[in-house]
Amino acid sequence: MPLPDALDSGKGLLVSGVLNPEALGALSPGQWDVLIRQARLSRLLGRLAMRFNECGLLASVPVGPRQHLEWAIARVNTQTEELRWELSCIEEALAGLDVPVILLKGAAYHVADLAFARGRLFGDIDIMVAPESLPRVEAALMLKGWANSHHDAYDQRYYREWMHELPPMQHIRRGTTLDVHHSILPPTARLKTRPGLLMDAAVTIEGCFFKVLAPEDRVLHSATHLFFSEGEMAGGLRDLLDLDGMVRGFSGGEDWQRLLRRAAETGLERPLFMALHYLDHLVGTPVPGDVLDQVRHHYPAGLAGAVLDWGMQVSLAPSDTLDRGVLQRLSEWLLIVRGHWQKMPLHLLMMHLGRKALVRQS
Amino acid sequence: MDGVGDIPARDFRALVADAGVIIRFGRFAFRLRSPVEHLADEVHRMYRYHPVSLEGFADFHVEVRPPRTLRRWFGKQLEFHVDGSSSFFPLPHAQAFPLLEWGLNWCVHDAVKDCLILHAAVVEKDGKALLIPAPPGSGKSTLVAGLVHQGWRLLSDELAPLALDGLSVEGLARPISLKNDSIDLIKGLVGEDAFSETVRDTVKGSVALMRPPRESVLSVRRPATPAAVIFPKFTRGARPVSQGLGQGAGFALLMESAFNFSVLRRRGFEALADLVARCECYEIGYGSLDEGMQLVEDIHAAA
């Protein structure tokens, strides 16, 4: 496995630590200091810790950083138990409806038992159902204690008319949050897809009530989520490393061709190219050259492309601190503007932002 | 390793303002950076005996500084940052040191998962440690400061890291936080020199911190064995009373003061169960510091 960049740069440390901890060798206390902090800020500490544990390297880590890795493993174990319980509660609420319920992202990777998801820390559970079963699903969840967290009439309309999900639902006793989707992109977004295609291809997992997206659709969804949602990239590197794990699971040229065909069918070639481009550039993921060639023309050309590329490179690189410099803040701002631009047509966006600026939340 | 006090105060101030210093407390270390000179001076005095280094591994990267938003122009305020993110509301400039102390407490109980973190003080004498959990206002820190002045070893004033086998408790030996009337009471016993400036009008009233004794700091890595758990309640003019609580009531009260119980789940439950199975839990009430300390000495002698 090729190691990107010099090991003394922060980026090289964190990516190598997660992908190939054996190659790290002995680190100085100062390097450990950078690695642990960057992993925590990039939400990769759990994954880093599980990798060290799997490789039998934990015992060789100096005691200071080792205890952070061990604490992260404890946090992962607790999350796993809580997730199992939460999923059983969702199943209990929805089992009687006889509609397919698809898990997305973190929870899906967990039930599909994907290697890269071991130690992946995440917050909310995301599910997707067909638009026509949305009212019944929402009602069934409410009967079991999930309540709408946004009571403002405008917020309700914002989600229900323009977004690809219901307003987030929160369980009144456990306080856990559930996002119920009916698509992977807002209907208002510039990028269009057909969620029905993804739902029809979703696969079952033995012994599990929930379905998950097909392997190539998981790649497309993760890429779309990373590059075509709000533009907030705090967990960007973590999501990029999810994508790395998914495509490393591909067994050969046929899997890649299926992914390309699927991207064309679903209209998700642009997110796919961006994902493959940054996997190739920033992570060193083995992406076949002919595959990169086939999707390259989907990247914006000229100045717009160069600015976007700069913003993405800055935002996807691990950082020592959440304290942003001027350039980082500029790139974040650019990506958020781009995210909103992608999300809604201009007239809707102006109305939405105008309202958010003028009407203060009580 | 040098102690904080071995660095001249002016140099310390410059280091804290620049790349920061790493200060060790027990098995943890924090890197402190701050442009606030009076904060550096207070840390220099209150952490005088703690080991310090300029590079290496730090568990918590802590910064106390003015907000970088427009807010900095409205009133002099400071924010506590850990790893570059701020989880607290800004506080007035004068509260810099209490803000740092509260922030560090948060760092420890948010991060640590290999022991049960109880909201409790720990003091030890003759190899027998007492756990003193209590809600704010019950007189816990005053009692602890009095005992420490009598020669008890301070392990912790605020957070008690209890090993998951329930058999030992670690030391942190950070400053003791005293409030309101207790400040002058304890100053009368131990003298002004061991105290930080008194900060008035915090959410907890007036606050001053007391430096842990040198012997407690130097022996901080030696864990202690809990021998009893004491829930104190100071009420002005009250007569001294002491009564055993029984395992069930002791367990329930301790559970309320456990910060990371929900993450540890079964292991946290078992650690507490082991603790109350081996240690008696007492509730004591008293109307003066001397009476309180006498009740503690009696429990310690019987344990």
Side-chain angles (χ1 to χ4, degrees):
Chain A
M1 190 183 297
L3 282 185
D5 289 40
L7 284 187
D8 53 342
S9 85
K11 184 175 87 185
L13 268 186
L14 181 54
V15 173
S16 310
V18 169
L19 295 183
N20 195 9
E22 280 117 333
L24 275 184
L27 300 182
S28 70
Q31 285 177 313
W32 276 114
D33 192 80
V34 170
L35 176 59
I36 295 291
R37 201 148 26 101
Q38 289 193 342
R40 180 182 299 120
L41 289 173
S42 304
R43 302 178 197 168
L44 282 162
L45 193 56
R47 195 168 160 197
L48 183 72
M50 296 301 271
R51 286 294 289 148
F52 268 81
N53 199 21
E54 283 163 10
C55 298
L57 292 168
L58 211 48
S60 65
V61 177
V63 60
R66 188 173 70 228
Q67 54 188 16
H68 288 263
L69 297 174
E70 285 167 347
W71 297 336
I73 290 171
R75 198 173 277 226
V76 166
N77 291 339
T78 302
Q79 175 184 276
T80 305
E81 288 179 42
E82 287 175 351
L83 176 64
R84 199 172 295 148
W85 172 247
E86 196 64 24
L87 289 178
S88 75
C89 295
I90 300 170
E91 176 178 348
E92 194 193 324
L94 300 182
L97 297 184
D98 201 28
V99 298
V101 180
I102 300 164
L103 284 177
L104 299 174
K105 298 208 68 192
Y109 307 153
H110 175 83
V111 299
D113 195 23
L114 303 177
F116 69 85
R118 275 174 226 141
R120 189 185 186 280
L121 294 167
F122 56 95
D124 307 335
I125 294 180
D126 299 273
I127 60 173
M128 182 163 74
V129 298
E132 58 274 16
S133 48
L134 209 51
R136 288 165 65 211
V137 166
E138 186 178 13
L141 287 169
M142 286 169 90
L143 280 176
K144 289 289 182 182
W146 278 271
N148 262 304
S149 57
H150 289 61
H151 297 294
D152 180 74
Y154 178 82
D155 286 346
Q156 286 286 335
R157 178 170 168 225
Y158 170 81
Y159 277 102
R160 287 173 195 278
E161 275 190 33
W162 299 333
M163 286 297 106
H164 52 306
E165 59 185 319
L166 294 177
M169 299 185 85
Q170 194 171 39
H171 197 272
I172 49 172
R173 287 184 61 198
R174 297 191 300 278
T176 47
T177 301
L178 178 64
D179 287 334
V180 183
H181 301 250
H182 55 84
S183 179
I184 64 165
L185 277 170
T188 54
R190 276 153 220 277
L191 186 68
K192 303 286 179 204
T193 188
R194 288 151 64 198
L197 285 178
L198 304 181
M199 279 183 229
D200 291 345
V203 293
T204 45
I205 291 166
E206 194 169 319
C208 182
F209 163 76
F210 298 97
K211 290 183 153 193
V212 298
L213 295 177
E216 54 275 13
D217 290 352
R218 289 200 286 262
V219 174
L220 296 172
H221 175 229
S222 176
T224 304
H225 187 81
L226 176 56
F227 295 108
F228 284 81
S229 58
E230 266 88 8
E232 282 177 32
M233 305 288 282
L237 183 64
R238 179 198 62 178
D239 292 2
L240 197 60
L241 289 176
D242 288 347
L243 282 159
D244 171 89
M246 288 184 229
V247 302
R248 275 182 206 270
F250 284 2
S251 49
E254 252 178 54
D255 285 346
W256 284 105
Q257 290 312 317
R258 192 174 315 124
L259 176 63
L260 291 177
R261 274 202 306 277
R262 191 63 174 165
E265 278 167 20
T266 52
L268 299 174
E269 288 147 306
R270 285 179 61 206
L272 176 63
F273 177 68
M274 290 183 75
L276 298 181
H277 174 76
Y278 291 110
L279 285 174
D280 178 52
H281 265 57
L282 296 179
V283 183
T285 312
V287 180
D290 60 313
V291 172
L292 279 173
D293 289 340
Q294 286 180 59
V295 278
R296 181 155 296 147
H297 61 277
H298 291 284
Y299 202 82
L303 184 63
V307 171
L308 178 61
D309 193 43
W310 170 77
M312 286 292 173
Q313 302 251 13
V314 171
S315 297
L316 289 170
S319 165
D320 281 12
T321 161
L322 286 182
D323 230 350
R324 302 300 207 188
V326 175
L327 285 180
Q328 277 172 317
R329 274 181 287 171
L330 177 65
S331 84
E332 262 168 28
W333 178 80
L334 272 173
L335 293 183
I336 287 171
V337 170
R338 171 186 171 270
H340 280 94
W341 173 255
Q342 292 292 345
K343 199 165 151 180
M344 292 178 156
L346 192 60
H347 70 281
L348 268 187
L349 185 60
M350 297 315 282
M351 269 168 40
H352 178 59
L353 295 181
R355 186 185 159 94
K356 285 283 165 194
L358 293 174
V359 185
R360 292 230 62 86
Q361 298 283 320
S362 54
Chain B
M1 198 183 269
D2 282 345
V4 169
D6 297 328
I7 302 176
R10 270 188 54 189
D11 298 352
F12 187 77
R13 220 189 262 171
L15 289 167
V16 169
D18 183 34
V21 296
I22 298 177
I23 298 175
R24 183 157 282 287
F25 58 102
R27 70 168 149 132
F28 309 108
F30 68 102
R31 180 188 282 273
L32 173 68
R33 290 182 64 191
S34 179
V36 183
E37 291 188 348
H38 78 89
L39 174 66
D41 292 347
E42 292 284 49
V43 171
H44 189 257
R45 284 186 345 101
M46 291 299 111
Y47 283 85
R48 180 177 294 171
Y49 308 119
H50 286 75
V52 66
S53 57
L54 299 183
E55 46 196 46
F57 182 83
D59 296 284
F60 313 113
H61 287 250
V62 164
E63 218 180 326
V64 177
R65 58 164 169 78
R68 297 221 169 120
T69 57
L70 288 176
R71 207 190 258 275
R72 80 173 103 174
W73 306 110
F74 302 98
K76 292 190 82 182
Q77 289 191 317
L78 295 173
E79 287 177 337
F80 177 87
H81 293 251
V82 56
D83 289 336
S85 72
S86 174
S87 328
F88 302 94
F89 287 113
L91 288 179
H93 214 262
Q95 299 187 20
F97 190 48
L99 176 64
L100 172 68
E101 288 296 305
W102 296 331
L104 283 174
N105 288 340
W106 182 86
C107 288
V108 172
H109 72 69
D110 181 65
V112 177
K113 310 280 177 253
D114 55 3
C115 46
L116 189 65
I117 305 280
L118 297 168
H119 184 198
V122 188
V123 287
E124 180 253 356
K125 191 171 77 168
D126 304 333
K128 292 188 283 186
L130 302 180
L131 250 59
I132 310 179
S138 52
K140 172 197 67 171
S141 294
T142 318
L143 189 59
V144 166
L147 291 165
V148 166
H149 176 62
Q150 294 284 317
W152 288 63
R153 176 162 80 105
L154 173 75
L155 281 93
S156 180
D157 167 49
E158 197 66 21
L159 301 174
L162 177 71
L164 289 178
D165 59 10
L167 292 177
S168 71
V169 58
E170 284 177 43
L172 303 173
R174 287 180 35 227
I176 300 173
S177 170
L178 292 159
K179 282 146 225 143
N180 303 320
D181 294 347
S182 315
I183 299 170
D184 285 336
L185 178 72
I186 302 296
K187 271 186 184 172
L189 291 175
V190 306
E192 290 264 354
D193 174 64
F195 275 79
S196 72
E197 297 281 320
T198 300
V199 182
R200 295 178 205 289
D201 300 322
T202 76
V203 285
K204 304 179 183 201
S206 293
V207 173
L209 287 116
M210 177 185 144
R211 180 172 56 234
R214 186 164 180 273
E215 307 74 52
S216 296
V217 177
L218 296 184
S219 59
V220 67
R221 298 303 295 271
R222 193 176 81 233
T225 308
V229 181
I230 300 178
F231 295 89
K233 180 81 195 114
F234 168 80
T235 314
R236 197 176 298 281
R239 295 178 53 78
V241 285
S242 175
Q243 59 169 18
L245 278 172
Q247 283 190 26
F251 184 96
L253 284 170
L254 280 165
M255 202 174 84
E256 282 175 29
S257 63
F259 280 111
N260 55 354
F261 202 75
S262 61
V263 173
L264 294 174
R265 298 165 70 96
R266 184 188 182 126
R267 294 189 305 156
F269 186 94
E270 287 172 352
L272 270 196
D274 288 346
L275 179 71
V276 298
R278 288 183 313 97
C279 293
E280 290 287 338
C281 297
Y282 298 88
E283 204 167 43
I284 63 171
Y286 52 93
S288 76
L289 179 58
D290 286 341
E291 289 166 359
M293 290 200 292
Q294 189 55 53
L295 293 174
V296 172
E297 294 281 359
D298 294 344
I299 290 169
H300 180 260

